[in-house]
Amino acid sequence: MPQEIELKLALAEDGPDRLSAQPLLSHSPERLALANTYFDTPRGELEAARMALRLRRTDAGWVQTLKTAGQSHGGLSRRGEWEWPVAGDSLDLTRLATLPPMAALPVDLLERLAPRFTTDFRRRRWLLDWQGSRIELALDEGEVRAGERRAAIRELELELKEGDPAALWQLAERLAESVPLRPANASKAARGAALLAGRWALPEGGEALALEARALAALDALDDSGDAAFLAEAQRAYARLAALDTADAPTQRLARRLAQALDNDWTTDAGRDALALARHLHG
């Protein structure tokens, strides 16, 4: 199965400008304008199956992509991805039907697919040789649109092209020295679906991994909804993690600092702690 391995990071409002000033990114990036439409059935059957189907318009033409959710923890995701060029702004249902993830879905699902929401953003892309690995760094700025609702896109994706996944963490930690950022689990597709529904569900807490996932999901929901209740949920999740008897000392220490830091704007110190916690739990 074709697989994508990437680390997704949410940026503070001044994050893109501070990232652009990084010495590591002194060479000129590739610049792209990407307009994307996501498709699903009216009942959201692809979303329920943890899949995302997208048509993307680029300067070079149209591309169709199917992604499966795979695993996403602490911002690091491993997921199936199938991508191919298409002739225009209509789905290629014939090839889509042949892909392995579609085999488990109802046979009439293809006939019921319709546009659900869009994401439009500008991408700056760099290829870096880092710690013996090759990494694509993509900085996206734009918005998600679902009906009348809007949410800003301001994120950084580090995708492993060749080498060791540990290099993704190392590069993120280097960038976090001067750029306020944090791990983010929510894909653009998941953000669009939540925005369309006007509902942001949080995973249940429990042990360390689940509590960290709940905190990150609450921060993602805060960014897109503006509802301060999600900030309180993130604080509670980190505080519960800090007090968890089964958590080790580094986890408790980092979670305690994050619970306290969330009283203020997101800072580089908080970003380094969030990355360190994510890497400790998932790296």
Side-chain angles (χ1 to χ4, degrees), residues 210-234:
L211 285 167
E212 191 237 8
R214 183 175 177 86
L216 292 182
L219 292 172
D220 290 339
L222 172 66
D223 285 348
D224 287 352
S225 70
D227 186 346
F230 288 116
L231 175 60
E233 287 293 342

Side-chain angles (χ1 to χ4, degrees), residues 235-283:
Q235 290 171 316
R236 280 193 287 269
Y238 281 129
R240 288 171 60 193
L241 180 51
L244 193 65
D245 290 340
T246 55
D248 61 18
T251 296
Q252 292 176 333
R253 182 180 67 254
L254 289 165
R256 186 177 304 110
R257 291 210 302 242
L258 283 163
Q260 296 167 350
L262 292 182
D263 286 331
N264 305 309
D265 292 336
W266 196 262
T267 64
T268 52
D269 286 343
R272 286 194 294 269
D273 285 343
L275 274 174
L277 178 60
R279 186 176 185 183
H280 181 66
L281 292 174
H282 309 289

Side-chain angles (χ1 to χ4, degrees), residues 13-15 18 35 46 54 56-57 69 77 147 185 206 211 225 240 271 278:
E13 190 169 345
D14 63 346
R18 295 174 70 170
L46 288 183
R54 179 186 74 203
R56 167 170 287 176
R57 188 183 73 239
S77 64
N185 281 338
L211 285 167
S225 70
R240 288 171 60 193

